[in-house]
């Protein structure tokens, strides 16, 4: 008989999603990576405590994480901003 134990921590975070918008920052993004969806991009931001918002480019499947939250109009992009903790 064998016993298998699995343990993991679930991180929960609420976001506000805005379409046709991207992050504008004087600083470069904290990190950019290829992802499959805006949801996956938000999940990457959730795991980074310094991430204020993420920008997902659906045309390129690129996710960029930012510590700032200034935005501008951009066709085909969407952003998600972390909501304040209660």
């Amino acid at each position: 008989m064998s016993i298998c134990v699995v343990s993991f921590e679930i991180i929960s975070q609420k976001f506000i999603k805005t379409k046709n918008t991207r992050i504008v920052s004087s600083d470069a993004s904290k990190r950019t990576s290829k992802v499959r969806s805006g949801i996956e991009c938000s999940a990457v931001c959730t795991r980074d405590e310094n991430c204020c918002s993420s920008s997902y480019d659906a045309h390129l499947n690129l996710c960029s994480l930012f510590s700032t939250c200034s935005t501008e109009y951009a066709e085909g992009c969407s952003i998600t901003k972390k909501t304040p903790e209660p």
Side-chain angles (χ1 to χ4, degrees):
M1 180 201 299
S2 64
I3 297 176
C4 179
V5 178
V6 177
S7 176
F8 57 90
E9 179 182 351
I10 296 175
I11 300 171
S12 177
Q13 176 69 54
K14 291 184 180 182
F15 289 88
I16 298 170
K17 182 176 181 176
T18 309
K19 291 183 178 182
N20 294 322
T21 306
R22 69 177 171 198
I23 301 296
V24 177
S25 175
S26 58
D27 300 326
S29 64
K30 293 178 51 103
R31 183 173 67 193
T32 301
S33 58
K34 283 258 192 199
V35 296
R36 293 177 295 239
S37 69
I39 300 268
E40 186 177 348
C41 187
S42 295
V44 173
C45 184
T46 297
R47 292 187 298 268
D48 185 333
E49 66 182 38
N50 295 317
C51 178
C52 172
S53 56
S54 60
S55 179
Y56 175 66
D57 185 326
H59 300 295
L60 301 174
N61 291 332
L62 284 179
C63 175
S64 299
L65 305 183
F66 297 88
S67 56
T68 60
C69 295
S70 299
T71 63
E72 71 179 6
Y73 177 82
E75 185 81 26
C77 293
S78 63
I79 64 164
T80 53
K81 288 185 185 179
K82 285 183 177 178
T83 57
E85 300 268 341

